[in-house]
Structures are given as C-alpha cells and as structure tokens.
Amino acid sequence: MSPVFPMLTVLTMFYYMCLRRRARTATRGDMMSSHRTIVSNSRTSPLNAEVVQYAKEVVDFSSHYGSENSMSYTMWNLAGVPNVFPSSGDFTQTAVFRTYGTWWDQCPSASLPFRRTPSSFQSQDYVELTFEQQVYPTAVHVLETYHPGAVIRILACSANPYSPNPPAEVRWETLWSERPTKVNASQARQFKPRIKQINFPTNLIRLEVNSSLLDYYTELDAVVLHGTKDKPLLSLKTALVDMNDLEDDDYEEKDGCEMDALNKKFSSATLGDGPSNGYFDKLPYELIQLILNHLSLPDLCRLAQTCRLLHQHCCDPLQYIHLNLQPYWAKLDDTSLEFLQARCALVQWLNLSWTGNRGFISVSGFSRFLKVCGSELVRLELSCSHFLNDACLEVISEMCPNLQDLNLSSCDKLPPQAFGHIAKLRSLKRLILYRTKVEQTALLSILNFCAELQHLSLGSCVMIEDYDVIASMIGAKCKSLRTLDLWRCKNITENGIAELASGCALLEELDLGWCPTLQSSTGCFARLARQLPNLQKLFLTANRSVCDTDIEELASNCTRLQQLDILVTLFIAQKCSVPSSSGDHA
C-alpha cells in the first residue's frame, strides 16, 4: 500500500477534529442562527396540518396577585382567548404573579437561600395550563401585555390531564429556557421563543418565571400552543446539529439527566479500590469534605461512581445538612427519596417545594423518608407540594420535633383538618400558610401552642371567618412576632389592628394590602405608626382611605421604614414625604 493513503487518513482525521473544535467553540449567536435555520426547515406538510389552540384551563400555579374569590389579576385569566392583547397597560383581566423585583428578598421575612442550588435554577413562580388536544409542539406563544420578560422556562408534560387512566410514566421536557434578562420596554408583545422538538405529544404546558429584573408586575394575557397531531420528521442534517446542541446544553439540562438516574448513582456496580487514590490519600478527611461541599447534588452523584474513597465521602451525611431538591422537581420520585434516605440522617434544611405532583411522590414514600430523616430537621419547604394530605402533616408533627421553619405556601389541596397537627410543633418560628385552606379553629390552636413564632404568613387564607379574633390571639400569644402577612384578609377591622399593635411591639414587617375593611378615619394606621416604631416594611396596598396624616405619622415615628406600598391610594398630597430608601415601593 502506498504511504500516501495513511497520510491522507491522518489529514482527514485532523480536518475532522478541527471541524469539531470549531463547532464547539462557535459563538452562541452562531448556534442560535443554526437552530433558527433548523426550525425554518422543519415545516410540516399539508397532510400534517398545524393545530393552534389557546389554553383550556389553568390547573396549578404558585402565586397570583389577585383574590381567590375573584378574577382580577388571577392566574385563571390565562385560560381562553386574549382579554387585552394587543393593548398595553395595567388591566385586571390579566394574570399577575404576586411579586416582582428584588425587594422581596431584602425584607425581614426573607428566608436564607439554600446552599448547593445550581446557578441555572432561577425560577421563582410557575403556572401550568392544559389544552384541548395533545400535539407535538412546534411553537408556544405567550401574550404579554405589561412589563414583559419574566418567562424564563417553558416545559411540556407527557401526561394527559383529561385521560381517565393515569399514565404509567410521567415525563417533563424543557422546550425552551433562558436566564433572566432585562426587557427595557413595558409595552405588550407576543413572546415567541424557539422551542425544541420532543418525542411525545402534550396538552400540558408549564411556564416558569423570574421577575427579579422587572420594574413592575408582569402581566400575561394568554398562551397559544402550536403543534401537529403527528410527530414531525427531522432530516439527518438536523439530527446532527441537534447532537452538537446537546453537547453544549445548559447545566440545568445536565442536572436533569443526572437526577433522572439518581436512583442508580449511589447504588452503582462495583467500585474498585485501586492501588492508590493519588493525593486524596494524603488529604485529611475533613478537607476532602470541605472540597466536596462546593459540588452540586448531581455532581456528587457523578463523583460517587469513581472509586470507593470518594463514594464514601459522597455518601457522608454531612454533605446533606442542607438539601435543596426543588431544582429537580421534574425528576424526583419515591425511588429517589429512598436512595437519598441513608445519606440524610443529619439533614437540617430540606426543600421539597414543587416536588411530588402527579404521583411522583406518594404519601407512603414521603412518610418513610421523614421517619428516617426528620429528627434533625429545622427547616422544611413544601410550597406547592400537592401530594401532601392529613397523614403527611401528622408525620411531620411526630417526626420533626425540632422544626422551626415550615412553608406550606399554595398547598391549596390540603384539607382544612390537616392543619391542626401543626400545633404540635412547639418550636416553630416561621410558618407560611399563604393560599391554604387553614380554618379559624386550627389556626387559633397553632397560635396558642406555638408561642415562639417570629414570622407568620396568612395571605389569601379565605377559610378564616374572623380575622379580628386571629389578630387578638396573635397580640396575646405571639410576643416575639417580627413579620406578619395578612394580604387580602377581607374582614379585619381597627379592633384587630389595635390588639395587634399593642401586643406585637417587635413587628418589623406588616402586610395589610387589599384589606378593604380598614379605614383611616378610625385612626388605625396612625396607631400602627405610633406603636410599631421598628417597622421596616408596611403594605397598605389599595386602601383608598390612607391620607396625609397617616403618611406624616409614619414619617415621624417609623424611622427605619424602607418599604412602603400605598399603591392605588387616592388621598395623598405630593407634599407628604416618607423615609427614602432604595427599597421603597410606593
């Protein structure tokens, strides 16, 4: 054989390697341009016509600005055809989440962040929508009518909520994601991100949002799902480019793949000792633990497969003192909890928010986990965890005697009788019951026995009959209370405010937004200003009776005030001033 041929082979391989290197180091703009070309080249034929449909129903969400008993500013406005679009502005017929900006993270009620939260997980809120027909998505359009730019992630689910038979397997697939970016314009827009193709039909779409960069509340009007009944065919060229895209996927997607196989990682097959572990054999045990503290949970899963030494370190319960499983909500199930169970004997902070829905976590699976891992728990986040029932709260009350922080925000499927178990948690300092069905009897029991409460959220709790009775009990029992959320409490009056102000002198944060029964003429706001000098945040949103005198009392007495919300107030003259701060909201 001529020596030319081996040389040609070497040159060919070198050329191929150069092409691969160039592909990997291409700019993100080049990759996006290639992706746009792929999308434009994969149009469906007339035989597979595109189906265009608006959302039929809103089935789940984490928060909204509106009331539970009306349609103004609620997530339910996302169902059906647009109410406002293409108009721009603040309209009550749109869907609005409860928060925006960064000032919620700067107020006294803000919780400390969990360690090991992957930087790619930026979602703060979500909403899930169903559509009439299952389709293979080709586009998802979000109609934004005011301060757009909050949507950062769009997902599709394989389960059909309208099917009479539950599916054997439920999968979530990310269609599009992006880190939060600042959108300077506040006008309406039709947001049309380029989504990837998936290999299953769907009629359940989830939007996740991050409003931290917004100057005001984002308002969404409708969601349009485009798709085909039959699976589109991709060309070979498209498939090859998609493989390159997978190599450059965001960290979040890699985490998702790892968490999908979390059940197998720690129980992997044979791990050899090897003749030597290199420099790791010379490092103190504590130093290796300190190094591993910087790894995310999926990275620990990967590292555990390398050798017995690192497997031992990765399984050490000290690595799981703080365990945040919320970023992996789409993959976490009973089996995942079972394999984590042996490593979580010392867990103190546990975040299971958004997890376990649609059968991913069972009551028995959750109970088994807490019976092993609940004794040291100090903080438990369970926001939007709809698998919870009466038995789960009973297990929490029995297995977590040291619990100080419990978040049940938007667990609106919990039956009212379940909340009575919380009264057994005598060490509670923070309790979040926003958008739950807690009733007055259970809440009075909680307030009577949990006297160490410092942070209490009762926003949008519509099952409480008389908030004056609740305020009176808070004033009598919760002397250490620092923050109180009474957002949209419909029947609190000046009598409840008087009891509250006289009994909770340490209050630093008070939310009385959308409480229509409070009237400035009774002197209740002036009394708050005089009796609560430590206030840093006060919300009097949409109370149209707030007047100049109230603002002057706040300016004179509440010198630490940083956040004041008097939005939709009618009787304030411009000559009035309040303490200035970068956190002010008025």
Side-chain angles (χ1 to χ4, degrees):
M1 180 181 293
S2 170
V4 175
F5 291 104
M7 182 60 69
L8 286 175
T9 304
V10 171
L11 289 175
T12 303
M13 292 178 63
F14 178 75
Y15 179 65
Y16 174 76
M17 292 170 63
C18 289
L19 287 178
R20 293 288 293 174
R21 181 178 179 84
R22 182 179 178 183
R24 291 188 179 189
T25 56
T27 64
R28 186 63 181 166
D30 294 337
M31 296 299 292
M32 290 302 293
S33 297
S34 300
H35 187 58
R36 282 193 286 270
T37 304
I38 295 164
V39 172
S40 63
N41 288 338
S42 62
R43 298 188 181 279
T44 57
S45 66
L47 295 176
N48 191 13
E50 187 176 65
V51 177
V52 179
Q53 49 186 332
Y54 290 99
K56 177 181 179 180
E57 188 180 359
V58 176
V59 292
D60 192 20
F61 56 89
S62 55
S63 79
H64 60 183
Y65 188 83
S67 168
E68 300 300 297
N69 297 322
S70 77
M71 292 299 291
S72 298
Y73 297 122
T74 65
M75 286 297 116
W76 299 303
N77 287 325
L78 274 176
V81 299
N83 298 308
V84 174
F85 190 86
S87 298
S88 296
D90 186 0
F91 291 90
T92 60
Q93 300 95 326
T94 57
V96 183
F97 292 97
R98 189 176 173 187
T99 68
Y100 75 90
T102 59
W103 42 286
W104 285 78
D105 296 325
Q106 300 164 2
C107 56
S109 61
S111 298
L112 293 174
F114 274 74
R115 296 200 304 262
R116 281 205 170 109
T117 301
S119 60
S120 60
F121 183 75
Q122 300 285 328
S123 301
Q124 298 174 328
D125 275 298
Y126 74 85
V127 58
E128 292 181 3
L129 308 112
T130 58
F131 296 79
E132 186 70 36
Q133 302 182 53
Q134 280 194 316
V135 295
Y136 291 90
T138 56
V140 177
H141 296 175
V142 184
L143 307 186
E144 303 170 288
T145 56
Y146 204 37
H147 290 274
V151 178
I152 62 168
R153 196 177 181 209
I154 302 175
L155 302 100
C157 185
S158 63
N160 182 355
Y162 302 119
S163 174
N165 301 316
E169 180 186 9
V170 178
R171 290 176 54 200
W172 283 95
E173 192 76 33
T174 301
L175 301 178
W176 169 88
S177 66
E178 186 178 275
R179 290 180 181 275
T181 55
K182 177 74 172 179
V183 177
N184 293 322
S186 62
Q187 287 76 25
R189 72 169 184 177
Q190 187 173 8
F191 181 49
K192 301 186 288 187
R194 300 286 182 173
I195 66 172
K196 75 174 185 180
Q197 292 187 350
I198 56 176
N199 61 4
F200 58 82
T202 184
N203 63 341
L204 177 56
I205 296 294
R206 175 178 171 124
L207 307 182
E208 294 186 357
V209 303
N210 182 307
S211 302
S212 61
L213 300 182
L214 299 186
D215 296 324
Y216 196 67
Y217 297 96
T218 191
E219 299 193 8
L220 311 179
D221 194 12
V223 177
V224 191
L225 174 61
H226 297 245
T228 58
K229 298 294 288 184
D230 298 321
K231 185 176 180 180
L233 296 176
L234 292 177
S235 66
L236 179 60
K237 178 181 178 181
T238 301
L240 289 175
V241 177
D242 281 348
M243 288 172 63
N244 288 335
D245 284 342
L246 282 174
E247 291 178 358
D248 290 284
D249 264 349
D250 287 339
Y251 187 66
E252 168 208 353
E253 292 300 320
K254 294 177 182 176
D255 280 354
C257 295
E258 291 299 325
M259 290 305 297
D260 194 24
L262 184 62
N263 322 341
K264 306 172 185 176
K265 295 302 183 184
F266 285 112
S267 60
S268 54
T270 321
L271 292 169
D273 288 316
S276 170
N277 292 307
Y279 288 108
F280 279 102
D281 283 331
K282 301 180 179 180
L283 293 177
Y285 191 93
E286 294 79 9
L287 183 55
I288 298 176
Q289 285 287 297
L290 185 61
I291 295 171
L292 298 189
N293 255 330
H294 295 278
L295 298 180
S296 68
L297 183 59
D299 286 337
L300 280 178
C301 295
R302 299 183 189 104
L303 191 61
Q305 302 174 85
T306 56
C307 67
R308 289 191 182 277
L309 175 66
L310 291 179
H311 185 273
Q312 177 185 358
H313 280 282
C314 291
C315 295
D316 193 312
L318 291 174
Q319 289 295 329
Y320 303 88
I321 300 285
H322 289 194
L323 184 59
N324 185 5
L325 296 174
Q326 182 181 4
Y328 317 109
W329 64 265
K331 306 292 183 181
L332 199 75
D333 58 16
D334 277 354
T335 312
S336 306
L337 289 181
E338 184 179 346
F339 278 98
L340 282 169
Q341 188 171 289
R343 298 153 190 92
C344 295
L346 301 179
V347 63
Q348 296 177 9
W349 287 18
L350 176 62
N351 189 356
L352 286 171
S353 294
W354 301 5
T355 65
N357 301 337
R358 294 184 174 82
F360 275 47
I361 294 178
S362 66
V363 172
S364 57
F366 174 76
S367 301
R368 283 195 302 270
F369 184 81
L370 274 199
K371 286 176 181 177
V372 175
C373 309
S375 61
E376 301 297 323
L377 269 182
V378 175
R379 177 178 175 185
L380 181 57
E381 303 281 339
L382 292 169
S383 173
C384 304
S385 297
H386 299 310
F387 66 88
L388 295 173
N389 64 4
D390 182 272
C392 291
L393 261 62
E394 184 177 11
V395 170
I396 292 172
S397 67
E398 293 175 353
M399 297 295 124
C400 308
N402 300 311
L403 199 63
Q404 299 179 13
D405 190 333
L406 178 61
N407 183 358
L408 297 173
S409 172
S410 287
C411 290
D412 55 339
K413 294 178 175 58
L414 265 173
Q417 67 271 17
F419 296 93
H421 297 293
I422 298 176
K424 303 172 189 174
L425 299 170
R426 306 296 176 87
S427 300
L428 270 186
K429 294 183 178 180
R430 180 189 302 270
L431 179 60
I432 311 299
L433 297 177
Y434 167 71
R435 288 193 65 239
T436 63
K437 292 183 173 66
V438 61
E439 290 182 331
Q440 185 160 311
T441 303
L443 184 55
L444 289 173
S445 178
I446 293 170
L447 296 173
N448 186 51
F449 290 104
C450 302
E452 296 183 28
L453 277 174
Q454 297 180 13
H455 307 276
L456 178 62
S457 173
L458 301 174
S460 291
C461 292
V462 297
M463 303 290 286
I464 297 173
E465 298 90 354
D466 190 341
Y467 270 97
D468 279 348
V469 174
I470 298 300
S472 178
M473 179 66 83
I474 291 173
K477 294 290 185 177
C478 304
K479 301 296 184 181
S480 301
L481 200 67
R482 293 177 50 216
T483 71
L484 177 62
D485 178 7
L486 296 177
W487 171 265
R488 292 191 179 275
C489 297
K490 294 295 184 182
N491 54 29
I492 192 169
T493 69
E494 65 276 6
N495 297 324
I497 293 298
E499 297 280 354
L500 192 65
S502 61
C504 302
L506 300 180
L507 269 180
E508 300 173 7
E509 176 180 333
L510 180 60
D511 193 333
L512 297 172
W514 296 89
C515 294
T517 49
L518 293 177
Q519 295 297 317
S520 173
S521 58
T522 64
C524 59
F525 301 133
R527 182 181 295 108
L528 282 177
R530 290 192 292 267
Q531 293 187 271
L532 302 177
N534 295 317
L535 278 179
Q536 299 178 34
K537 170 185 170 181
L538 177 62
F539 273 31
L540 302 175
T541 319
N543 192 303
R544 291 167 173 80
S545 70
V546 175
C547 63
D548 292 354
T549 303
D550 300 320
I551 302 303
E552 289 167 355
E553 289 282 359
L554 287 169
S556 299
N557 296 288
C558 301
T559 56
R560 300 178 61 194
L561 195 63
Q562 297 179 4
Q563 298 177 12
L564 175 64
D565 190 335
I566 50 174
L567 202 66
V568 202
T569 298
L570 303 179
F571 304 112
I572 301 295
Q574 291 188 5
K575 64 184 179 69
C576 288
S577 61
V578 295
S580 61
S581 167
S582 59
D584 286 352
H585 173 66

